[in-house]
Amino acid sequence: ATGLLARRLGAGALTAAGLMAVCVIHVRQSPVAGADVPMALLFVLALWAAARLESTDDVRHYLLAGVLIGLAAALKYQGALVAVAVPVVHLTCRRSLVDVRLATAAAGATAVFLLTTPGVLLDSATFTSGFAELWQHVSPGTVAATPGWWRHLSLSLWTAYGPAGLALCLAGLALAVQRRRPGELGVAAAFLLYFVVIGSAKLTYVRYALPLTPLAAVFITIACRRCGRWAPLAALAVLVPSLYGSTRIADLRWRPDTRVQAAGWMATHVP
């Protein structure tokens, strides 16, 4: 999916997919039975559908983008933030704000979200109170003393692709904003909005940044393309450390959990 998005934006599909394959925090998180990784997948697919709107104005493609947005939001509520890409691409293509196609995308997203999350309607009182409790739990937080934006830059994205990857990601993001191509602007808007929202919370688990890492891979690829003949070296500077980190994570996963080892030792040696 990351490769498809990169290809849609005219970047290197294989490079972006390769970066995603060795992304340390995804290799760490993907075997875990949780909603974060599937939501990240749908987040990327929704962006791919939104980026396609640059080259087509068919209402069916708007509907597809809306359906994928609704599924991303249903898996995890912050997946709804990807919706910003559709109006950004639409408007930068100089299409009207009052447009049945935008309404179709919004209707598709809403319908799919409600069909896959029926409790929102069937028990709206519980949903409202539960969502309020969830927001209250995330906002005050107790985990991080440093600002969430800095923590996700210095920990989440740094861990995902290393210092070279983070630098190239920010450079690629700046290039995407500067060039003002509709598809790239849509991806940049989704990246920035999601980063601002998760960074505003004081609960800053690394898994919250999972949807940012495939977008970072795309921005890294965009930046590498501007390096000319040095592009392969720039890509390797990100790929090699990420591959090493991912290999170490995979190696640890093959071994018994240290908590299991500790429990076994205690059962044998502690009366």
Side-chain angles (χ1 to χ4, degrees), residues 89-116:
V89 173
H90 179 87
L91 293 174
T92 50
C93 287
R94 301 184 183 278
R95 297 166 190 163
S96 173
L97 180 61
V98 182
D99 194 314
V100 68
R101 294 167 295 187
L102 278 181
T104 300
T110 304
V112 169
F113 174 74
L114 293 177
L115 283 170
T116 51

Side-chain angles (χ1 to χ4, degrees), residues 73-242:
L75 265 171
K76 205 163 188 183
Y77 297 141
Q78 59 260 45
L81 297 172
V82 72
V84 69
V86 172
V88 167
V89 173
H90 179 87
L91 293 174
T92 50
C93 287
R94 301 184 183 278
R95 297 166 190 163
S96 173
L97 180 61
V98 182
D99 194 314
V100 68
R101 294 167 295 187
L102 278 181
T104 300
T110 304
V112 169
F113 174 74
L114 293 177
L115 283 170
T116 51
T117 318
V120 172
L121 293 178
L122 298 176
D123 193 356
S124 57
T126 301
F127 167 76
T128 303
S129 63
F131 190 86
E133 289 175 12
L134 178 66
W135 182 254
Q136 187 177 11
H137 174 65
V138 170
S139 295
T142 55
V143 173
T146 55
W149 300 289
W150 174 248
R151 187 169 170 84
H152 283 300
L153 278 176
S154 63
L155 179 62
S156 304
L157 292 175
W158 183 288
T159 301
Y161 295 118
L166 178 59
L168 287 169
C169 168
L170 296 177
L173 174 62
L175 280 170
V177 173
Q178 179 189 24
R179 295 194 296 202
R180 301 195 178 192
R181 297 174 181 171
E184 290 182 358
L185 278 178
V187 176
F191 182 96
L192 291 170
L193 178 62
Y194 190 89
F195 177 78
V196 167
V197 170
I198 65 167
S200 64
K202 291 183 181 178
L203 283 178
T204 54
Y205 299 120
V206 169
R207 59 188 170 86
Y208 290 174
L210 287 173
L212 295 178
T213 52
L215 312 191
V218 173
F219 291 135
I220 291 169
T221 305
I222 290 173
C224 285
R225 286 212 153 191
R226 290 294 293 268
C227 295
R229 62 179 181 175
W230 300 104
L233 285 178
L236 284 174
V238 184
L239 279 166
V240 172
S242 297

Side-chain angles (χ1 to χ4, degrees), residues 257-270:
D257 191 296
T258 51
R259 293 165 294 185
V260 175
Q261 294 182 53
W265 185 92
M266 292 170 66
T268 303
H269 295 92
V270 179

Side-chain angles (χ1 to χ4, degrees), residues 1 4-6 8-9 40-54 64-65 68-69 72 79 81-86 89 182-191 194 211-212 214-216 218-219:
L4 287 174
L5 177 60
R8 173 57 54 180
L9 299 180
L41 170 62
L42 286 164
F43 199 95
V44 174
L45 288 173
L47 277 177
W48 166 78
R52 291 176 72 202
L53 302 179
E54 178 180 356
L64 175 62
L68 291 167
I69 290 166
L81 297 172
V82 72
V84 69
V86 172
V89 173
E184 290 182 358
L185 278 178
V187 176
F191 182 96
Y194 190 89
L212 295 178
L215 312 191
V218 173
F219 291 135

